[in-house]
């Protein structure tokens, strides 16, 4: 990854109108709290939710946890949400149902106007995008490259499966679609996020862990959740294991030593290693250091 991307292993949704949840949000251990203005807020409560955003974001960000705000999709609602959410206390926006590069570009333009009006650094508000419709998936490569604000992209499992008319969502039903989003994210040098199982799985934590582990094995970097019990699972799964760290440290040391001696071939624990393998090990160590710094 050539640009500095955020550490987003776990992104916990919190309804912004629930003061009790907001007050406890920063203590949940999530890398990011996503204050929700969308699905968890009934239409009649949208105005009060918008009014609560800045104070909620300040409370959470002052406690040292990053804040994103998930806005609504219809343009008239989205415009009101942006007015309520673009503040220094908010580090980014979660954008649902992205369907085209133009869609993302319009949002980017509005956010820049608000940043300038409010004396904020232009570009300080980052984006996380959700692909939740067939049209969005068909345009995912263009969407992924449409704005330098876009830091990560995820398949929105529940909305996307509903849009496809799927009666239920199994742990592997959306693997193919998730991988399309992942490849688009990697091509655009942003974070691939998410897992193929249901985000609403809050009773069978073994099943939830399985979905997260499959996603990590495929190269995903983190995922969203709706319950605090899911947070430690995501943090654990999307962090390097002790054995991975030990292996990476030893491999990098062996490779660097061989290069310093001018050796053209490097053997490590019975296998030949080359640049791509070592770079993967270096990424493990960088991630480990970033997690340690945050802790």
């Amino acid at each position: 990854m050539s640009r500095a991307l955020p550490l987003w292993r776990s992104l916990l949704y919190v309804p912004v109108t629930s003061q009790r949840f907001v007050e406890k949000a920063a203590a949940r251990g999530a890398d990011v709290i996503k204050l929700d203005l969308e699905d968890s807020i009934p239409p009649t409560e949208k105005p009060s939710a918008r009014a609560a955003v800045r104070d909620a974001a300040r409370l959470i960000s002052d406690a040292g946890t990053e804040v994103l705000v998930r806005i609504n999709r219809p343009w008239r609602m989205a415009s009101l949400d942006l007015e309520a959410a673009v503040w220094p206390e908010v580090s980014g926006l979660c954008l649902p149902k992205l369907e085209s590069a133009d869609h993302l570009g319009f949002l980017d333009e509005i956010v820049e106007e608000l940043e300038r009006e409010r004396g904020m650094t232009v570009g300080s508000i980052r984006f996380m995008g959700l692909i939740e419709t067939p049209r969005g998936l068909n345009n995912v490569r263009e969407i992924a490259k449409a704005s330098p604000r876009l830091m990560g992209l995820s398949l929105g499992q529940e909305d996307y499966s509903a849009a496809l008319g799927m009666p239920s969502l199994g742990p592997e039903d959306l693997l193919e679609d998730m991988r399309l989003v992942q490849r688009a994210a990697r091509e655009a040098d942003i974070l691939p996020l998410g897992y193929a199982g249901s985000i609403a799985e809050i009773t069978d934590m073994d099943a939830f862990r399985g979905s997260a582990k499959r996603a990590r094995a495929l190269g995903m970097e983190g995922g969203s959740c709706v319950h605090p019990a899911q947070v430690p699972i995501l943090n654990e799964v999307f962090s390097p294991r002790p054995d991975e760290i030990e292996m990476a440290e030893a491999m990098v040391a062996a490779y660097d030593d061989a290069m310093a001696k001018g050796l053209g071939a490097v053997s490590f624990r019975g296998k030949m290693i080359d640049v791509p393998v070592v770079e993967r090990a270096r990424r493990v160590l960088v991630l480990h250091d970033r997690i340690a710094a945050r802790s």
Side-chain angles (χ1 to χ4, degrees):
M1 296 177 182
S2 60
R3 58 171 164 162
L5 296 175
L7 180 64
W8 285 353
R9 298 167 299 166
S10 55
L11 304 96
L12 175 63
Y13 282 108
V14 172
V16 71
T17 52
S18 175
Q19 185 64 24
R20 179 168 62 94
F21 289 168
V22 168
E23 289 175 353
K24 295 180 179 180
R28 299 303 190 184
D31 289 336
V32 179
I33 296 298
K34 289 202 283 190
L35 294 175
D36 193 23
L37 293 175
E38 197 202 20
D39 288 346
S40 67
I41 308 296
T44 56
E45 294 185 24
K46 300 288 188 187
S48 60
R50 295 184 187 105
V53 165
R54 191 175 188 186
D55 285 343
R58 182 182 293 116
L59 181 66
I60 296 166
S61 62
D62 283 352
T65 299
E66 189 171 354
V67 177
L68 301 184
V69 178
R70 179 168 69 166
I71 66 172
N72 289 275
R73 170 63 178 92
W75 279 112
R76 291 172 67 189
M77 295 178 69
S79 181
L80 294 172
D81 292 345
L82 293 175
E83 293 279 354
V86 177
W87 298 107
E89 295 84 359
V90 174
S91 63
L93 304 173
C94 180
L95 308 176
K97 299 179 179 64
L98 286 176
E99 293 198 323
S100 69
D102 285 342
H103 178 185
L104 187 56
F106 294 149
L107 292 168
D108 193 327
E109 182 177 334
I110 296 171
V111 170
E112 181 174 340
E113 289 180 6
L114 290 167
E115 286 172 332
R116 292 185 185 280
E117 287 176 7
R118 294 171 181 183
M120 299 168 59
T121 301
V122 172
S124 60
I125 295 292
R126 301 181 291 181
F127 291 163
M128 173 194 169
L130 294 175
I131 301 299
E132 299 181 299
T133 66
R135 183 185 177 206
L137 189 65
N138 287 338
N139 293 327
V140 68
R141 292 183 67 191
E142 291 74 22
I143 291 170
K145 294 177 282 188
S147 170
R149 295 180 188 271
L150 191 63
M151 297 287 114
L153 202 59
S154 177
L155 187 71
Q157 311 99 305
E158 305 294 345
D159 283 277
Y160 181 74
S161 61
L164 292 184
M166 298 170 63
S168 62
L169 181 55
E172 298 186 8
D173 290 340
L174 298 179
L175 275 175
E176 178 183 353
D177 307 82
M178 184 188 78
R179 296 188 76 169
L180 290 173
V181 175
Q182 178 206 26
R183 286 195 286 270
R186 289 298 188 194
E187 181 185 21
D189 197 24
I190 62 177
L191 293 173
L193 302 168
Y195 42 87
S198 173
I199 192 175
E201 181 54 76
I202 61 173
T203 56
D204 188 344
M205 289 301 159
D206 288 336
F208 181 78
R209 181 184 296 273
S211 292
K213 290 177 74 172
R214 279 188 292 275
R216 195 211 171 187
L218 292 172
M220 309 303 276
E221 301 276 353
S224 298
C225 56
V226 295
H227 193 282
Q230 296 170 313
V231 170
I233 294 174
L234 293 175
N235 285 345
E236 176 190 337
V237 169
F238 290 106
S239 298
R241 301 186 309 271
D243 63 300
E244 291 177 303
I245 297 166
E246 186 277 330
M247 173 74 80
E249 289 175 339
M251 181 182 293
V252 169
Y255 184 84
D256 288 347
D257 181 64
M259 293 298 101
K261 293 176 179 176
L263 300 178
V266 183
S267 176
F268 176 74
R269 297 182 181 177
K271 295 182 179 181
M272 300 303 296
I273 58 174
D274 55 10
V275 172
V277 176
V278 176
E279 285 307 307
R280 188 159 57 228
R282 293 190 196 278
R283 287 197 296 270
V284 168
L285 298 181
V286 169
L287 177 57
H288 172 61
D289 290 343
R290 294 183 68 196
I291 293 169
R294 172 165 291 185
S295 300

